[in-house]
Amino acid sequence: MDVAVIGTGYVGLVTAACLAEVGHRVIGIDGDADKVARLSQGDPVIYEPGVEELLQRNLANGRLRFSVSIAEGVASSTILFLCVGTPPRLDGSADLSQVEAVSREIAHHLESYRLLVEKSTVPVRTATWIERTLRLYSRGQADFDVASNPEFTREGSAVEDFLHPDRIVLGVPNRRAAGLLHELYAGFDCPKLDTDVSTAEIIKHASNSFLALKISYINLIADLCEAANGDVATVAAGMGLDARIGRAFLHPGLGYGGSCFPKDVLAFIDIGEGLGVDMAILKGVDQVNRGRIGRLVDKLRQALWVLQDKTVAIWGLAFKPHTDDIRGAPALALAERLLKEGAVLRLHDPRAMPRARHVLLPSDRVAYCDSPEQAAIGAHAVVIATEWPLYREVDWAAVRENVATPILVDGRNLCDPSALEPLGFEYLGIGRRA
Ligand SMILES: NC(=O)c1ccc[n+]([C@@H]2O[C@H](COP(=O)([O-])OP(=O)(O)OC[C@H]3O[C@@H](n4cnc5c(N)ncnc54)[C@H](O)[C@@H]3O)[C@@H](O)[C@H]2O)c1
């Protein structure tokens, strides 16, 4: 089938590359001409495991191309995926200006039937606004449908998730749209849930908010374990053995970050309240999450007393492992907080340092280091802020040798304290028994 993917960021690029991989002819469209030029040369722009190979293979076999022109996408494709950003506004609601701008432009070029599919995460009823926009700006001439096909891929394993999904949700207004989307996904062997468009829009926000809730819940339990000398890892194991609860997302730490959970929880609160629903549960989820950085700084203060002029190594800057995405990264919030406290920072991340350099204010109090061992040199404390597996494998003897004081604050409970304490490390985890 002929497909246009509008917005080729983290979601759009994976969508375009994977749909081409399974045999469709795909045009990826982005307003950023530099990005389009790089993608057209086979440079994925972002780090996402597996995407570079798919990009290069499908550019070479001619099934994938890129353009800045929405007109070109509308002319060549029956199905148009909307993958532009929906960032948060100051009040927490979703900023839908990119969605609106793209809808307006599509409307100008509509000549025959097209199916517009929301893949961006949007508030319920956005499809109704898109339909109205398409009607208004095409002067009522156009033949189209608007569907919702929310994206559930995880950055860091997005290609694998896209090609082998747990489920595909298809929010469709009629049989014509359903037929097209089922044809598109015919090769995907997973449950496909057909529903109406509003329900599909709610499924995405409800899913992300529920996962965020699990994270905040286990973080709350971790705080309780610290106060009562319990062990959160064992509590999580004990809870997770209950099939109704499950093990996933019961890992305490610095809290959730990224470009999705924080904004989606806030947007869902805004949507619910706008519809007259009390969203107190999700306000609590957000509040717990906002407190995580403060609790980690408190741990550092307990260990170091005064933070002014102390050197802190932060291992991991990306919001999660296996990505270079630093949007909403707890590690960067921590770095900014520690700089305000007067600390000196030595930072390491295997993928995210180039992006972090653009975001953190240039300062002679921040050093970017080539390895975790190098970042630890002269540190009064090492903080693990992102659970990249390589931080488990560091040369601990070298780290011990070179730190100023051997304090490890494991913000992701990545390491085994029983292996580190014999080396002389003071280990501070999250919700672990002292
Ligand atoms: N990042 C994820 O893993 C993930 C997962 C599920 C859902 N989502 C949702 O998908 C959407 C996109 O997220 P993302 O992380 O890919 O964002 P992103 O910022 O990486 O990508 C958005 C892209 O849209 C392009 N764009 C913006 N306005 C445009 C316009 N008018 N015309 C053409 N291109 C335009 C931008 O240049 C950018 O490349 C968001 O709604 C997000 O919540 C993201």
Side-chain angles (χ1 to χ4, degrees), residues 199-212 264 268 282:
T199 303
E201 290 170 333
I202 294 172
I203 286 172
K204 176 62 189 175
H205 267 133
S207 302
N208 273 9
S209 296
F210 187 73
L211 294 172
D264 291 348
F268 208 30
L282 290 184

Side-chain angles (χ1 to χ4, degrees), residues 46-285:
I46 56 165
Y47 172 69
E48 180 63 46
V51 86
E52 186 169 3
E53 295 89 299
L54 259 56
L55 170 67
Q56 292 173 358
R57 184 160 56 239
N58 288 285
L59 282 170
N61 66 26
R63 284 205 297 263
L64 180 58
R65 65 198 167 97
F66 294 91
S67 168
V68 289
S69 165
I70 288 184
E72 207 180 326
V74 177
S76 64
S77 313
T78 314
I79 301 179
L80 312 168
F81 276 103
L82 241 132
C83 298
V84 293
T86 51
R89 295 197 304 186
L90 282 179
D91 65 358
S93 63
D95 176 352
L96 297 173
S97 55
Q98 296 178 28
V99 175
E100 196 260 359
V102 168
S103 307
R104 246 186 308 136
E105 180 146 13
I106 290 173
H108 290 309
H109 303 294
L110 277 179
E111 285 188 355
S112 54
Y113 176 79
R114 294 292 179 262
L115 173 61
L116 185 60
V117 187
E118 303 167 343
K119 207 171 243 316
S120 302
T121 302
V122 291
V124 59
R125 295 184 176 164
T126 298
T128 312
W129 281 105
I130 295 175
E131 274 167 27
R132 180 176 158 74
T133 306
L134 293 179
R135 264 198 310 273
L136 271 178
Y137 290 90
S138 64
R139 301 181 198 285
Q141 308 290 317
D143 183 16
F144 62 84
D145 286 312
V146 179
S148 164
N149 169 219
E151 190 48 66
F152 300 104
T153 49
R154 299 160 295 176
E155 283 180 36
S157 55
V159 168
E160 182 63 21
D161 291 349
F162 194 101
L163 293 173
H164 306 285
D166 292 336
R167 82 298 210 186
I168 293 175
V169 172
L170 301 174
V172 283
N174 53 40
R175 291 172 66 170
R176 175 164 67 170
L180 281 170
L181 287 174
H182 276 280
E183 190 183 337
L184 183 81
Y185 286 120
F188 289 74
D189 181 21
C190 67
K192 290 169 191 151
L193 178 73
D194 280 30
T195 183
D196 62 275
V197 179
S198 293
T199 303
E201 290 170 333
I202 294 172
I203 286 172
K204 176 62 189 175
H205 267 133
S207 302
N208 273 9
S209 296
F210 187 73
L211 294 172
L213 180 144
K214 278 189 99 173
I215 295 171
S216 277
Y217 187 77
I218 201 66
N219 279 331
L220 191 72
I221 302 302
D223 295 350
L224 197 121
C225 285
E226 283 180 12
N229 202 24
D231 177 55
V232 72
T234 314
V235 174
M239 288 171 63
L241 287 170
D242 185 329
R244 295 169 302 176
I245 298 174
R247 271 310 313 254
F249 277 71
L250 292 182
H251 304 290
L254 268 176
Y256 57 79
S259 67
C260 290
F261 286 5
K263 86 166 166 64
D264 291 348
V265 167
L266 292 181
F268 208 30
I269 292 170
D270 179 73
I271 295 161
E273 291 190 333
L275 294 168
V277 178
D278 182 352
M279 302 299 275
I281 289 180
L282 290 184
K283 286 183 172 173
V285 167

